[in-house]
Amino acid sequence: YINRDNYNLEAFIPGVVNIYERDGKLFSVPQVANYGTMMVYNRDLFDKAGLSYPPVDWDDESWNWDKMLQYAKKLTQNYGEGANAQYGIDVSHLQQDIWAAAYLWDDDPFTPEHYETGLAKSTRLDSPGVIEAVQSVADLIYKHKVAPTPATAQVLSQLGPLFGTGKVGMTFMLPTQAYTNYQNAPFRWGLAPKPWVKSNKTTWFNGTWFIARESKHPEEAWELIKYLTSEEAARDMAEVAGFLVPLKSIVADWYELFEKPTGMKASEIKTVTEGCLKNGVENVNHLFVSWPEIYDILAQELSPVWLGKVSAEEGLKAVKPRVDAVVYKIYQQFSSEN
């Protein structure tokens, strides 16, 4: 269809077309772009602490984990003192998505075939880099005391998103989330890359349009997709639903929306958002078969780590057999070998 109708793939921003490409074949075209998870920081708190803003270039290795920790210490005040406390960083994203933490250590709790096929026979949850990454995140809470405990975060979040309280210096989220939640925040905020360790690989969250293999109306489905990815429909979708169809002609206007709440230039927003597409992977919940079943057991069994009761090594080695059993059960259920 793409070749027959001269469908213009060059109209999309670089990096989003090939997310669901396999063996040189395109199985979809982009639907919406959330780009990837990145750092969001409170520029007002940075100014008060006399801290320079992080770079917007994902290739700038001066923005690393040690620098982030240094900043977090300077931003933290009255730790644990309820409403009087200010925290350097919120690590809930790295707690919930431990694979995202492991990526920074150039490691992965999951196997390559899991990303390629959606199925695997086991995990790599006890890999050294995964253990070090998870422990480093826990250390931000219990060793360095720059991030709120889960209990404190839960209390603070009762009034809304934690970062929105204005008492957190840094956090991690999608740029679309940041704009939706904080476009009218009483403070300025900014976007930055994830910090380097051995990598700053990140997680992408991008939607795509597929046509069902058994569709009785593939031609009509293709015509609908062409319309939904047209500039006319893209502008309507952005206005009505807030979704960003990743057309080059649309995103320029979208970047400008960030200038007022952040104080950043549209060119800086473009650099930091599109830059994340150079080094990342679509998030596992978009790729793995029966992901909720895997995640539920993983989150449940790792809670002692985030409560400070056990080390990352103890927690991960204890949870691996249980997660592996679920992963293998799913493999047996859906693999063509069976």
Side-chain angles (χ1 to χ4, degrees):
Y1 290 142
I2 289 172
N3 292 335
R4 184 194 70 188
D5 294 355
N6 295 315
Y7 183 79
N8 185 17
L9 295 175
E10 294 298 320
F12 295 102
I13 61 174
V16 298
V17 170
N18 304 109
I19 290 173
Y20 292 100
E21 180 182 6
R22 294 293 183 272
D23 299 323
K25 297 180 180 180
L26 285 173
F27 285 81
S28 67
V29 294
Q31 176 199 34
V32 295
N34 288 302
Y35 295 101
T37 310
M38 56 190 62
M39 174 161 283
V40 181
Y41 63 97
N42 186 316
R43 286 164 74 95
D44 288 358
L45 293 185
F46 270 52
D47 290 346
K48 291 178 182 178
L51 299 173
S52 58
Y53 302 140
V56 293
D57 185 355
W58 285 73
D59 293 329
D60 189 339
E61 297 186 31
S62 68
W63 180 238
N64 54 45
W65 189 272
D66 291 340
K67 187 78 169 180
M68 182 193 75
L69 176 57
Q70 175 189 337
Y71 275 30
K73 288 180 177 179
K74 291 184 177 180
L75 289 163
T76 300
Q77 298 176 6
N78 306 318
Y79 185 89
E81 296 185 12
N84 294 323
Q86 177 177 295
Y87 297 93
I89 189 166
D90 164 36
V91 294
S92 56
H93 160 62
L94 298 180
Q95 290 175 285
Q96 295 163 5
D97 300 359
I98 64 165
W99 52 96
Y103 292 164
L104 303 180
W105 270 259
D106 199 23
D107 209 335
D108 197 324
F110 304 112
T111 60
E113 57 264 33
H114 220 154
Y115 292 89
E116 286 296 319
T117 68
L119 298 167
K121 295 181 180 180
S122 63
T123 69
R124 303 178 65 257
L125 281 163
D126 58 352
S127 179
V130 178
I131 292 172
E132 186 176 356
V134 172
Q135 188 61 57
S136 295
V137 175
D139 285 348
L140 293 175
I141 304 171
Y142 298 106
K143 178 181 178 180
H144 302 297
K145 296 187 182 300
V146 295
T149 64
T152 300
Q154 185 176 12
V155 171
L156 292 174
S157 296
Q158 290 178 354
L159 299 176
L162 185 58
F163 184 71
T165 63
K167 294 182 176 294
V168 175
M170 297 174 283
T171 189
F172 300 96
M173 69 181 73
L174 298 169
T176 47
Q177 288 177 310
Y179 182 77
T180 299
N181 291 332
Y182 307 120
Q183 57 182 300
N184 297 312
F187 56 86
R188 294 175 308 122
W189 48 271
L191 301 177
K194 281 187 172 179
W196 276 83
V197 183
K198 295 179 181 178
S199 169
N200 65 353
K201 178 180 175 180
T202 192
T203 48
W204 299 334
F205 291 82
N206 298 286
T208 61
W209 292 114
F210 295 90
I211 299 176
R213 183 186 306 171
E214 290 84 14
S215 172
K216 296 179 180 179
H217 303 282
E219 289 286 349
E220 290 83 352
W222 174 240
E223 288 301 315
L224 176 60
I225 287 174
K226 285 196 295 184
Y227 170 72
L228 291 171
T229 55
S230 68
E231 183 171 328
E232 175 190 2
R235 291 191 183 278
D236 284 347
M237 188 178 291
E239 181 178 344
V240 175
F243 291 139
L244 173 66
V245 179
L247 296 171
K248 294 175 183 176
S249 57
I250 299 295
V251 294
D253 295 340
W254 187 74
Y255 296 143
E256 292 180 358
L257 295 176
F258 283 78
E259 291 186 328
K260 183 178 179 180
T262 66
M264 298 175 70
K265 298 177 181 178
S267 59
E268 293 176 312
I269 299 297
K270 173 182 171 66
T271 298
V272 70
T273 51
E274 293 188 13
C276 77
L277 296 174
K278 294 189 295 184
N279 185 22
V281 63
E282 194 67 22
N283 197 50
V284 296
N285 70 321
H286 288 184
L287 301 178
F288 293 2
V289 177
S290 297
W291 169 247
E293 190 175 356
I294 299 170
Y295 181 74
D296 285 348
I297 190 70
L298 181 62
Q300 176 184 344
E301 295 298 320
L302 278 183
S303 61
V305 176
W306 306 126
L307 293 174
K309 295 181 178 180
V310 301
S311 69
E313 184 172 11
E314 292 171 311
L316 287 165
K317 287 188 175 180
V319 74
K320 185 180 188 301
R322 298 198 61 183
V323 176
D324 281 358
V326 173
V327 166
Y328 188 63
K329 183 197 74 171
I330 295 168
Y331 177 85
Q332 289 183 307
Q333 182 180 356
F334 291 100
S335 174
S336 59
E337 295 178 5
N338 300 294

